[in-house]
Amino acid sequence: MSDHQHTDVPLFLGVDGGGSHCRMRLRDGRGTLLSAVEGGRSNVYLDFEPAIETIALCIDQCLAAGGLGADDRARLRLGLGLAGVSSRVVAERVAERFKNVCSVTVTNDAEIACLGAHGGKDGGLIIAGTGSAAVARVGGLSTPVGGRGFIMGDDGSGARLGLEALRRALRAYDRLEPQTMLTTSLMAAFDNDPVTLIEWGRHAKSRDFGAFAPQVFEAAIASDPLALSLVHTAAGAIADLARALQDLGAARISLVGGLASALRPFLPAMTLSSLHEPLFDPLEGALLLAGCPLPGADRAP
């Protein structure tokens, strides 16, 4: 019988749950990888019950893939990093649904990404994707910075970049400012009809606006003046997040997310000098949260 099959040996399960997918990684007490699975959406703020159902299903699949069964749940130590966990009340509500395991610790997905990025040590993390957010973890205390959602915050994000580009395209159409290659191409996507764009915008989600961010970066690389201005503004917002993290004592900072690589060429030199590649991925951060030792391999690229 292998070590992980002994009933007195702990099992560690890390969960990274977001709006698009739920990923899990199962390790034994020595840190040996037993299984990994991926499931559907698991944002507990947007849709609590379906998110809990997705997580529970993935736990079953992860145990089965590791050659384990329902009896092994009592050995499970869960570390859950979930989108939508914004307070202790939400975290406790989630933990209450997984009482049939040895232990469960719940936080948000940004914190497990920060834990993984710095191997459990002090540091800061900036997420630049459809949304944006940052977190500083210093002396065991985590402090969120920025984010605040598409309406009130998320500066430097793909959603805000796409929204501002479309707003400026409408202004150019109305001759309130110069037309550029970017404004022309954006309006063309809506048949050069402002009413079509406005109607689309009434029902668009943050991810819909974010889908235009790559077009803005392409135009910036081609020296479109509006695109350059928008991208530099976004990069400035990311630089502001980095400065705030440093002020909180996070000397080592990682920048992750779908826009991370596109933004790097536009970041100030001082910001770039503070950035470090993540040591481990968010799932290893979730496993750290559960109490699992760091593996000697499987480092994030």
Side-chain angles (χ1 to χ4, degrees):
M1 180 182 292
S2 63
D3 283 349
H4 71 263
Q5 291 175 314
H6 286 289
T7 57
D8 59 344
V9 175
L11 298 168
F12 299 95
L13 183 61
V15 181
D16 177 15
S20 59
H21 59 251
C22 178
R23 297 187 302 138
M24 294 191 181
R25 191 174 292 159
L26 179 65
R27 294 189 183 276
D28 65 15
R30 291 201 250 178
T32 302
L33 178 65
L34 303 181
S35 64
V37 302
E38 182 169 332
R41 299 179 180 180
S42 51
N43 186 313
V44 294
Y45 173 76
L46 294 177
D47 222 343
F48 186 86
E49 289 299 334
I52 294 298
E53 291 174 9
T54 294
I55 295 165
L57 177 61
C58 286
I59 290 174
D60 290 340
Q61 293 173 342
C62 216
L63 285 171
L68 301 163
D71 292 344
D72 294 295
R73 284 180 175 274
R75 296 193 284 144
L76 272 182
R77 299 183 182 182
L78 294 181
L80 297 105
L82 308 176
V85 175
S86 56
S87 68
R88 181 177 298 179
V89 172
V90 178
E92 290 174 351
R93 186 184 176 200
V94 172
E96 181 69 18
R97 302 297 292 270
F98 297 98
K99 293 190 297 184
N100 60 342
V101 299
C102 177
S103 67
V104 55
T105 308
V106 183
T107 188
N108 59 62
D109 52 346
E111 184 161 352
I112 61 165
C114 190
L115 278 167
H118 307 294
K121 297 181 179 179
D122 287 356
L125 183 87
I126 301 171
I127 302 173
T130 299
S132 69
V135 59
R137 190 174 186 277
V138 179
L141 177 66
S142 293
T143 305
V145 179
R148 313 307 181 191
F150 177 50
I151 301 298
M152 303 300 290
D154 282 6
D155 296 319
S157 69
R160 292 297 296 270
L161 187 61
L163 170 63
E164 188 60 22
L166 290 168
R167 286 186 66 253
R168 300 291 291 275
L170 272 174
R171 285 179 56 82
Y173 179 90
D174 288 333
R175 298 179 176 83
L176 296 172
E177 60 182 82
Q179 290 191 354
T180 72
M181 176 186 69
L182 177 62
T183 65
T184 301
S185 63
L186 289 174
M187 288 305 301
F190 295 91
D191 298 323
N192 293 306
D193 183 357
V195 175
T196 300
L197 172 51
I198 292 167
E199 285 299 311
W200 173 87
R202 287 180 57 204
H203 306 286
K205 306 295 185 183
S206 57
R207 63 179 177 271
D208 300 319
F209 288 105
F212 287 95
Q215 191 172 341
V216 179
F217 280 104
E218 290 172 7
I221 293 170
S223 299
D224 181 276
L226 173 59
L228 282 169
S229 173
L230 295 175
V231 169
H232 280 297
T233 297
I238 299 303
D240 288 342
L241 290 174
R243 282 193 294 272
L245 295 179
Q246 290 173 321
D247 289 345
L248 288 166
R252 188 181 193 278
I253 298 171
S254 293
L255 174 63
V256 300
L259 289 191
S261 59
L263 280 167
R264 278 181 178 271
F266 301 95
L267 292 172
M270 186 173 296
T271 302
L272 286 171
S273 68
S274 70
L275 297 182
H276 300 264
E277 287 299 310
L279 297 176
F280 295 90
D281 68 8
L283 273 174
E284 292 305 331
L287 284 160
L288 275 172
L289 187 70
C292 184
L294 284 169
D298 296 319
R299 283 180 175 265

